[in-house]
């Protein structure tokens, strides 16, 4: 039985969660940080690329579809393939994907069950077969979490997104 997992990818600038294969996911994010409504550690939605680089959290810059795409440094955990930090030149940091060490303030991380995610986010809505979105609690500017599930209804990928991702959406 093939397991489904989703990874964030940038295709023609559009940020998507797409099925990939199988994952080793942890229901707990030991020693990791929190991906809250504004960002992760000193990395925040809306920061300029220069400010984001100065956090020391980013490595391996790539360009794609109107966005600069970075990975979080390896010490922050392993993301799904295609995951990372997406920075639009005018809007700044537009999206930050989670890793196996990162959790949301509500305790959601890789491996969390769908029922627990629904309890944490009552406004969770399905936007595709395996992908859901919800406003980020405490967000002040339309920030949202995008969460993908595998065929066992466990979180296989998640990200914090700005309401306006600029050219990262085109």
């Amino acid at each position: 039985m093939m397991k489904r997992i989703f990874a964030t990818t940038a295709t023609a600038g559009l940020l998507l969660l797409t099925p990939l294969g199988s994952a080793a996911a942890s229901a707990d994010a030991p020693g990791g940080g929190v991906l809250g409504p504004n960002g992760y550690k000193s990395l925040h939605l809306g920061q300029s690329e220069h400010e984001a680089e100065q956090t020391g959290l980013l490595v391996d810059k790539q360009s794609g579809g109107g966005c600069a795409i970075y990975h979080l440094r390896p010490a922050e955990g392993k993301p799904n393939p295609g995951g990372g930090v997406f920075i639009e030149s005018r809007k700044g940091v537009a999206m930050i994907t989670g890793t196996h060490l990162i959790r949301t303030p509500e305790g959601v991380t890789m491996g969390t069950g769908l029922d627990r995610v629904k309890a944490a986010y009552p406004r969770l809505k399905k936007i595709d077969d395996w992908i859901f979105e919800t406003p980020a609690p405490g967000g002040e500017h339309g920030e949202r979490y995008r969460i993908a599930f595998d065929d066992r209804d466990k979180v296989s990928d998640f990200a914090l997104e700005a309401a306006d991702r600029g050219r990262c959406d085109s």
Side-chain angles (χ1 to χ4, degrees):
M1 171 186 233
M2 183 176 185
K3 303 287 184 215
R4 291 187 191 176
I5 183 166
F6 295 79
T8 307
T9 60
T11 304
L14 179 62
L15 303 177
L16 305 169
L17 294 170
T18 56
L20 283 185
S22 66
S26 168
D28 298 308
V34 176
L35 182 60
N38 298 314
Y40 176 73
K41 295 185 176 180
S42 58
L43 181 66
H44 302 285
L45 293 178
Q47 268 180 330
S48 71
E49 185 171 358
H50 176 74
E51 292 169 329
E53 287 174 338
Q54 296 302 308
T55 68
L57 293 169
L58 305 179
V59 297
D60 302 327
K61 179 181 178 179
Q62 302 171 7
S63 294
C67 287
I69 305 165
Y70 291 82
H71 289 108
L72 289 171
R73 66 182 179 200
E76 304 307 322
K78 183 179 177 182
N80 280 314
V85 177
F86 295 76
I87 304 174
E88 203 270 351
S89 61
R90 295 166 297 148
K91 302 289 182 177
V93 175
M95 181 176 181
I96 305 167
T97 60
T99 72
H100 78 288
L101 295 178
I102 294 175
R103 64 179 172 78
T104 69
E106 296 75 28
V108 171
T109 189
M110 303 286 193
T112 302
L114 178 58
D115 289 342
R116 185 165 167 225
V117 174
K118 285 180 177 179
Y121 303 113
R123 296 176 58 192
L124 188 73
K125 72 176 186 174
K126 191 173 191 175
I127 61 167
D128 202 349
D129 287 339
W130 301 87
I131 304 168
F132 292 73
E133 283 185 349
T134 186
E140 298 177 3
H141 304 287
E143 300 85 358
R144 65 185 169 262
Y145 290 114
R146 183 174 293 214
I147 305 168
F149 294 85
D150 63 20
D151 61 355
R152 296 173 298 138
D153 288 337
K154 303 287 184 185
V155 173
S156 59
D157 201 1
F158 66 103
L160 175 69
E161 300 177 330
D164 182 356
R165 296 181 299 193
R167 292 180 297 168
C168 291
D169 270 339
S170 53

